[in-house]
Amino acid sequence: MQTYLFILAALLYIGCAFLPSERRLPISLGTMLGWILHGGALTADMFAPESVRVGFAVMLSATLWISVAAYWLENRNFSLDSMRVMVLPVAAVAVILPAVFPGNMVLLTGKSDWFLWHIAISILAYSTLTIAAFHAVLMVLQESRLHTRPGAMARSGGWFAMALDRLPALLTMEKLLFRLIAFGFLLLTLTVLSGVVFSEKLFGTAFRWDHKTIFTLLSWVLFGLLLAGRRWQGWRGRTALSFTLAGFAILLLAYVGSRFVLEVVLHRVLI
C-alpha cells in the first residue's frame, strides 16, 4: 500500500513541477496533496511497534518531505516559484527511494529516548540546510541572469527565466538564505549534541570517529565559519554561496552518502 502512495505522491510532485506558473491554485493544492500522501506513506513505512526504519533512502525521503513543506510555505510569503522546478523533481525521486532501498528496522527496546530525538533533529537539520542549498542555487542563477545582456535575456525566455525575474531582490534573497542557515546551524548543533548523548549511552563513548561524525563536524565548522564571517567580516555574495553549497555537500555525505555506500555497495546493515 505504501508503495502505491509513494508513486502517487511522486506523480503529483512531477505534475506540479512543470505546470505553468499561472496555475497557482492547482500547483498549491497538488503539492499539498502530494506532501500529505508522501508523509502518510513515509510514517507508515518508518514506524512499527517498538521499532523504526533507518537507511539512506528513508532519511533522504524524510528530508525532502520537510523541504517541500518549507518551499510551499516560503513561496506563499515570497515569489519563489522558480524553486518549484528544483525541489519537486528531487522530492519525486526521493519519495520512491524507500520502496527500492528499504534500509533496515532497528528495535527500540532498550534504546535511549535520545535515539528518536536524535533522528528527528537530524532530519530537521538536513531539511533546513537542503532548502538553503536550493535557495543558494537560485541565487547563483539569479545573479547570472542579472549579468546577462538585455538582448540575450530576451532570447532566453521561458517560464523558468520569467520566474527568476520575479524573485525578490538579491539582498532580500541573501537575508532569507542566512536566516535558513542560522536556523539550520542551530539544529545541526543540537544534532551533534544529541548524537554525543546517544553515543555515550549506547556505545559508552562520546564520539565514534567514523565517516558520519567527521563529515558532520566538518559541515558544522563550515556553516559556523560562514555565520561568523557574515557577522564580523560581512561575507556575502559568492563567498556565502560557496560556503553554503560546500557545507551542504559535505553534510549530504555525512549520513546519506555513507549509508548509501554501506547499504548498496558494501551490503552492510548498521544503525
Side-chain angles (χ1 to χ4, degrees):
M1 181 64 179
Q2 289 99 308
T3 302
Y4 294 114
L5 292 179
F6 283 142
I7 293 172
L8 183 55
L11 291 174
L12 281 167
Y13 284 157
I14 287 292
C16 291
F18 297 106
L19 279 175
S21 301
E22 295 75 22
R23 308 288 297 277
R24 290 184 63 85
L25 184 59
I27 289 170
S28 182
L29 292 177
T31 302
M32 180 53 63
L33 179 58
W35 183 80
I36 291 171
L37 292 174
H38 184 177
L42 188 62
T43 301
D45 187 57
M46 281 185 69
F47 298 100
E50 296 299 321
S51 61
V52 63
R53 186 180 303 279
V54 297
F56 86 93
V58 171
M59 183 73 165
L60 200 58
S61 183
T63 296
L64 266 298
W65 180 68
I66 296 176
S67 297
V68 168
Y71 146 73
W72 190 84
L73 292 171
E74 199 173 52
N75 191 52
R76 293 177 67 86
N77 297 319
F78 300 92
S79 180
L80 298 176
D81 190 61
S82 47
M83 189 178 286
R84 170 168 55 101
V85 77
M86 295 189 294
V87 174
L88 293 186
V90 176
V93 174
V95 72
I96 60 175
L97 281 179
V100 182
F101 303 104
N104 60 288
M105 298 298 293
V106 174
L107 291 175
L108 296 177
T109 306
K111 292 282 192 306
S112 166
D113 293 338
W114 284 99
F115 181 64
L116 281 180
W117 278 107
H118 176 65
I119 292 176
I121 295 169
S122 300
I123 291 173
L124 284 173
Y126 264 69
S127 303
T128 305
L129 295 171
T130 295
I131 206 70
F134 282 125
H135 197 101
V137 171
L138 265 187
M139 289 179 65
V140 171
L141 295 174
Q142 183 185 20
E143 185 179 26
S144 176
R145 179 119 178 118
L146 289 174
H147 289 109
T148 303
R149 294 177 180 176
M153 186 180 294
R155 290 191 298 271
S156 62
W159 71 265
F160 185 68
M162 290 187 290
L164 284 176
D165 291 338
R166 289 196 295 268
L167 286 172
L170 266 175
L171 284 176
T172 302
M173 293 285 286
E174 192 172 79
K175 288 178 182 177
L176 290 172
L177 176 65
F178 275 98
R179 287 179 190 172
L180 287 168
I181 292 172
F183 185 55
F185 179 73
L186 173 62
L187 290 171
L188 192 58
T189 302
L190 293 176
T191 299
V192 172
L193 293 176
S194 63
V196 169
V197 175
F198 166 62
S199 181
E200 185 74 41
K201 290 182 176 295
L202 190 62
F203 303 110
T205 178
F207 280 104
R208 297 174 70 195
W209 291 105
D210 51 17
H211 292 84
K212 181 175 69 173
T213 302
I214 293 169
F215 283 132
T216 299
L217 289 175
L218 183 56
S219 177
W220 180 82
V221 168
L222 281 177
F223 282 116
L225 281 174
L226 173 57
L227 292 173
R230 168 75 168 183
R231 175 68 177 82
W232 285 293
Q233 299 294 326
W235 288 358
R236 49 175 306 191
R238 289 282 176 172
T239 301
L241 298 178
S242 298
F243 265 84
T244 302
L245 294 175
F248 172 73
I250 292 171
L251 185 62
L252 194 64
L253 290 173
Y255 186 85
V256 175
S258 60
R259 287 291 306 211
F260 177 82
V261 172
L262 289 171
E263 292 175 27
V264 179
V265 179
L266 300 180
H267 302 290
R268 289 192 201 170
V269 176
L270 296 171
I271 294 177

